[in-house]
C-alpha cells in the first residue's frame, strides 16, 4: 500500500493541505481562504474555529482528491502562521477571544512601556527578538487583561495558550495533546533560545501563568495521533515548524550561510547560521529547527507586508481584478515613472522596527498611471528584501552567493528578475515552490522513517529557474537608494506625539 505525507499549511489568509509522495512531489492540493477581521485600525483577528474548520475541510478534500483515506498517510506535518495567539478553555476547547494575528499592532504602546523600563537588552539576549507587538507575549497579556474573567481562569489553570500549530494539534487530537515546537516557541518573546525552555523571568514581566503554556518539543517527532473522526483511522502527527523555518528546511538550506526568502503575505528572509545563536543588532535570532538533540539556529529579517501589497492594490484600490495581472500591468511601463511605494501598512519590520510607520506612495504626477503604481509595488518588494539581505551579510557575517526563493509571488518572473538586478545576486526558484508545506512534510516523514535523513531530502531539491543580474541592475540600484529616502518619510507617521 503506497503511503503519503499530508502537510497542513495554515497561513495568514488561507488554510491549505498538500499531499506529498516519496519524491517530495505534490499529489494534491486543497485551499480555502477565511475571514480577516479588522475591529479597529491596526487590529487584525481571525476566528480560531474558522481556522480549524477550514483546515479540517481542506485536509479531507486533499486526500479525497486522490482517492485515499487516513490508512494511506504515513504522517501529518503542520506548518503555520507564527506569533498569532489563541487562548482557549481547556474543558470546552472554546476560544476566549478571536486569534490575535501577528500583524496586529494593538499592544504597541505597551511594548513602548517595556522599552522605557529598559528591558530591550534582557529580552533580546534571552529570546533573540526585539520588543515588538509582532510577537505573542504582549498579545497573551492583552487577552488576560481585557477579556472578562480571563486572568482568574488562567490563574486557576483552566486556560490554554497556543500558537496556531498548538491549536491545530489540540483539535486534531481531541484535546489530548498540548504541545508546540521550538521554532514556534522561539517567536513568543517568552522562550529562552539558549536554555530551550519557557523563561520564568519573562513570564513574570508579562504576567503570564506558566500553566497556560504548551510543552515544547522538537520539530520532528511523534506528538500524538489524530482522533478517528477526520481520517477514519489514527494518523501520527510527527512534524511541526513555523512557516518560515519550514520553508528554510523545505529549501534544503541545511548548510550555514544558505539563505531563502518566502514571498507570502509578508516577506521573510531567513539564513542558516549553524548550531550557535548569534544575537545581531537589527535582525531576529531564531531557531531554525531541532531534530533529535541537534539545534540549528537562524537569523531572520521580517517584512510585514510583501505579497499583501499586491492584494491591497487588487482589493483596496481595485487596480486589477486578479493578483496575476500586476505583472502584465507593470510590464506596460519602462519603470515606475518616479513613483515610490513604501508598503508599511502594518508598520515596518526589520531592519527599522517602527510600529508607527505607515504606507506611502510618493512621486505622483499627472502622468502617473496604475501601471506605474503596480511597477512601484513590485520594486518596493524587491527593495525591502535587499535591505534585509544587506543587513544579514553585514551583521551575521554571511557571504551571500544566491537567494533561494519560494512563496506565491515567486512565480512572478518579472519580480524575480528585478530582485536579482537590485541585489546583484543570483536568485534561484525551485521546481516545487510550496517549500513551506514541503518542509513540514519532510520533518514528519523523517520522524516516522518515511525518509532516511537529510541526504535523501537534499536529492529531491530541484532548480526550476535561475535569474542572474541583467542590464537593468544599475538603474534598479539607483532607484533603491531613492526608495530609502521615501522609507525615512514613512517612519513614525502614526505616532501621536
Amino acid at each position: 500500500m503506497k503511503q503519503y505525507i499530508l502537510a497542513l499549511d495554515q497561513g495568514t489568509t488561507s488554510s491549505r493541505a498538500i499531499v506529498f509522495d516519496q519524491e517530495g512531489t505534490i499529489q494534491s492540493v486543497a485551499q480555502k481562504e477565511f475571514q480577516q477581521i479588522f475591529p479597529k485600525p491596526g487590529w487584525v483577528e481571525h476566528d480560531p474555529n474558522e481556522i480549524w474548520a477550514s483546515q479540517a475541510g481542506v485536509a479531507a478534500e486533499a486526500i479525497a482528491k486522490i482517492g485515499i483515506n487516513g490508512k494511506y498517510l504515513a504522517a501529518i506535518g503542520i506548518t503555520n502562521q507564527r506569533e498569532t495567539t489563541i487562548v482557549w478553555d481547556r474543558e470546552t476547547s472554546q476560544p476566549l477571544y478571536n486569534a490575535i494575528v501577528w500583524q496586529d499592532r494593538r499592544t504597541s504602546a505597551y511594548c513602548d512601556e517595556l522599552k522605557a523600563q529598559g528591558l530591550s537588552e534582557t529580552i533580546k539576549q534571552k529570546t533573540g527578538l526585539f520588543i515588538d507587538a509582532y510577537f505573542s507575549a504582549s498579545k497573551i497579556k492583552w487577552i488576560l487583561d481585557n477579556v472578562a474573567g480571563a486572568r482568574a481562569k488562567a490563574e486557576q489553570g483552566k486556560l490554554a495558550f497556543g500558537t496556531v500549530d498548538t491549536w491545530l494539534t489540540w483539535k486534531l487530537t481531541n484535546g489530548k495533546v498540548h504541545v508546540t515546537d521550538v521554532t514556534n516557541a522561539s517567536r513568543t518573546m517568552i522562550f529562552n533560545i539558549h536554555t530551550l525552555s519557557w523563561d520564568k523571568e519573562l513570564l513574570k514581566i508579562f504576567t503570564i501563568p506558566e500553566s497556560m503554556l504548551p510543552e515544547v518539543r522538537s520539530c520532528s517527532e511523534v506528538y500524538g495521533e489524530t482522533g478517528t473522526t477526520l481520517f477514519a483511522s489514527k494518523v501520527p502527527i510527527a512534524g511541526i515548524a513555523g512557516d518560515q523555518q519550514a520553508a528554510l528546511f523545505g529549501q534544503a538550506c541545511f548548510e550555514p550561510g544558505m539563505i531563502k526568502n518566502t514571498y507570502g503575505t509578508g516577506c521573510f528572509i531567513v539564513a542558516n547560521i549553524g548550531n550557535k545563536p548569534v544575537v545581531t543588532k537589527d535582525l531576529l535570532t531564531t531557531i531554525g529547527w531541532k531534530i533529535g538533540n541537534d539545534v540549528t539556529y537562524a537569523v531572520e529579517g521580517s517584512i510585514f507586508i510583501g505579497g499583501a501589497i499586491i492584494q491591497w492594490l487588487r482589493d483596496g484600490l481595485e487596480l486589477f481584478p486578479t493578483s496575476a495581472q500586476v505583472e502584465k500591468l507593470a510590464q506596460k511601463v519602462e519603470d515606475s515613472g518616479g513613483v515610490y511605494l513604501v508598503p508599511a501598512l502594518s508598520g515596518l519590520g526589520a531592519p527599522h522596527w517602527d510600529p508607527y510607520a505607515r504606507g506611502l506612495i510618493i512621486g505622483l504626477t499627472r502622468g502617473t498611471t496604475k501601471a506605474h503604481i503596480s511597477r512601484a509595488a513590485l520594486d518596493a518588494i524587491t527593495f525591502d528584501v535587499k535591505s534585509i539581505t544587506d543587513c544579514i551579510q553585514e551583521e551575521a557575517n554571511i557571504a551571500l552567493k544566491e537567494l533561494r526563493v519560494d512563496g506565491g509571488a515567486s512565480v512572478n518572473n518579472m519580480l524575480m528578475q528585478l530582485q536579482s538586478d537590485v541585489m546583484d545576486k543570483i536568485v534561484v526558484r525551485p521546481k516545487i515552490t510550496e517549500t513551506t508545506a514541503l518542509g513540514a512534510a519532510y520533518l514528519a516523514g523523517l520522524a516516522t522513517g518515511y525518509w532516511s535523513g537529510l541526504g535523501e531530502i537534499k536529492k529531491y531539491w530541484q532548480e526550476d529557474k535561475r535569474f542572474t543580474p541583467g542590464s537593468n541592475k544599475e538603474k534598479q540600484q539607483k532607484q533603491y537608494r531613492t526608495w530609502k529616502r521615501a522609507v525615512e518619510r514613512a517612519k513614525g507617521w502614526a505616532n501621536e506625539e
Side-chain angles (χ1 to χ4, degrees):
M1 183 166 64
K2 189 173 180 183
Q3 295 278 290
Y4 302 89
I5 302 283
L6 173 66
L8 304 182
D9 183 357
Q10 205 300 302
T12 307
T13 55
S14 69
S15 295
R16 293 190 301 162
I18 304 182
V19 179
F20 293 95
D21 68 9
Q22 191 84 40
E23 283 73 47
T25 305
I26 293 172
Q27 298 302 302
S28 75
V29 181
Q31 178 169 354
K32 187 175 186 188
E33 290 194 0
F34 55 86
Q35 188 185 7
Q36 307 293 304
I37 303 164
F38 307 105
K40 293 183 184 181
W43 291 30
V44 190
E45 296 176 1
H46 295 154
D47 176 350
N49 287 323
E50 190 184 3
I51 287 176
W52 163 243
S54 61
Q55 191 65 76
V58 293
E61 186 186 336
I63 64 171
K65 273 185 178 177
I66 54 171
I68 63 169
N69 58 31
K71 288 178 186 171
Y72 293 82
L73 296 177
I76 293 170
I78 296 173
T79 184
N80 57 288
Q81 52 165 317
R82 305 167 304 171
E83 300 96 16
T84 294
T85 298
I86 305 172
V87 175
W88 64 93
D89 186 299
R90 287 183 180 276
E91 288 177 17
T92 65
S93 293
Q94 281 305 306
L96 258 69
Y97 187 81
N98 276 339
I100 302 182
V101 179
W102 57 273
Q103 297 163 317
D104 189 283
R105 310 307 299 171
R106 77 186 65 185
T107 58
S108 292
Y110 169 67
C111 289
D112 287 346
E113 289 172 25
L114 295 178
K115 290 175 197 169
Q117 290 168 31
L119 290 166
S120 295
E121 196 56 28
T122 297
I123 287 174
K124 187 90 194 306
Q125 290 302 323
K126 284 172 178 275
T127 67
L129 309 176
F130 293 91
I131 295 176
D132 196 85
Y134 174 28
F135 306 109
S136 313
S138 62
K139 302 179 196 297
I140 302 170
K141 178 177 163 55
W142 189 93
I143 290 172
L144 294 180
D145 290 345
N146 290 277
V147 176
R151 188 164 288 284
K153 273 190 165 183
E155 300 288 357
Q156 293 161 16
K158 292 182 177 178
L159 298 186
F161 151 72
T163 40
V164 172
D165 58 301
T166 305
W167 172 242
L168 293 179
T169 306
W170 177 275
K171 297 294 281 184
L172 284 165
T173 61
N174 299 324
K176 289 191 177 77
V177 179
H178 185 215
V179 299
T180 190
D181 81 296
V182 289
T183 68
N184 280 291
S186 75
R187 312 295 295 192
T188 58
M189 216 157 62
I190 46 175
F191 184 76
N192 190 311
I193 61 170
H194 309 280
T195 64
L196 303 183
S197 59
W198 300 116
D199 191 284
K200 291 190 186 330
E201 183 187 357
L202 298 182
L203 292 176
K204 196 172 176 184
I205 289 168
F206 289 100
T207 64
I208 296 169
E210 196 165 356
S211 62
M212 296 177 69
L213 306 178
E215 182 188 351
V216 183
R217 308 271 281 272
S218 78
C219 302
S220 182
E221 61 178 274
V222 176
Y223 312 101
E225 292 180 322
T226 60
T228 54
T229 47
L230 190 58
F231 300 110
S233 60
K234 293 184 175 183
V235 183
I237 302 161
I240 300 176
D243 51 11
Q244 304 315 319
Q245 289 96 329
L248 188 69
F249 199 81
Q251 282 276 32
C253 290
F254 301 144
E255 308 299 322
M258 296 182 79
I259 301 181
K260 72 88 198 172
N261 179 33
T262 298
Y263 297 83
T265 301
C267 280
F268 299 88
I269 302 94
V270 187
N272 180 334
I273 58 168
N275 59 10
K276 288 188 175 64
V278 177
V279 179
T280 64
K281 179 172 156 278
D282 298 308
L283 302 164
L284 305 177
T285 304
T286 195
I287 297 175
W289 55 79
K290 181 186 179 195
I291 299 175
N293 293 318
D294 297 330
V295 181
T296 294
Y297 289 90
V299 288
E300 176 177 326
S302 314
I303 298 165
F304 299 150
I305 298 290
I309 198 67
I310 307 302
Q311 207 175 27
W312 175 72
L313 293 180
R314 181 193 73 191
D315 302 337
L317 297 190
E318 299 180 356
L319 295 192
F320 36 78
T322 65
S323 295
Q325 285 178 282
V326 70
E327 187 173 5
K328 285 180 186 171
L329 206 52
Q331 282 171 337
K332 288 183 176 179
V333 289
E334 195 176 308
D335 53 40
S336 65
V339 176
Y340 293 87
L341 188 153
V342 181
L345 307 189
S346 298
L348 285 170
H352 312 284
W353 297 106
D354 182 354
Y356 302 108
R358 287 297 176 265
L360 176 75
I361 303 176
I362 198 165
L364 299 170
T365 67
R366 285 285 298 272
T368 301
T369 67
K370 61 184 180 180
H372 291 112
I373 293 171
S374 298
R375 173 61 188 266
L378 294 185
D379 284 341
I381 294 170
T382 69
F383 295 161
D384 247 339
V385 171
K386 176 176 166 56
S387 69
I388 303 283
T389 55
D390 285 355
C391 194
I392 287 175
Q393 289 178 92
E394 187 182 327
E395 294 188 16
N397 198 25
I398 286 172
L400 173 61
K401 297 186 189 75
E402 66 177 31
L403 179 70
R404 292 189 172 187
V405 298
D406 53 68
S410 69
V411 300
N412 184 320
N413 287 335
M414 182 181 186
L415 182 68
M416 294 302 100
Q417 186 59 54
L418 290 171
Q419 190 69 78
S420 176
D421 289 342
V422 75
M423 288 172 56
D424 198 17
K425 301 288 180 189
I426 293 166
V427 170
V428 185
R429 184 173 64 206
K431 281 193 173 169
I432 296 177
T433 57
E434 299 288 358
T435 55
T436 302
L438 184 58
Y442 281 153
L443 290 164
L446 286 171
T448 52
Y450 189 78
W451 287 295
S452 59
L454 300 187
E456 183 183 359
I457 288 171
K458 210 184 283 187
K459 285 192 312 194
Y460 299 134
W461 188 91
Q462 288 181 300
E463 184 180 306
D464 170 52
K465 192 166 172 62
R466 177 172 291 245
F467 299 86
T468 54
S471 57
N472 201 31
K473 68 180 186 181
E474 281 85 5
K475 184 178 181 182
Q476 284 300 107
Q477 286 157 23
K478 184 181 176 188
Q479 288 181 318
Y480 170 66
R481 292 190 289 274
T482 307
W483 176 81
K484 289 205 284 188
R485 285 170 43 213
V487 171
E488 291 306 310
R489 285 164 169 76
K491 284 182 178 178
W493 181 261
N495 195 335
E496 290 174 9
E497 293 176 10

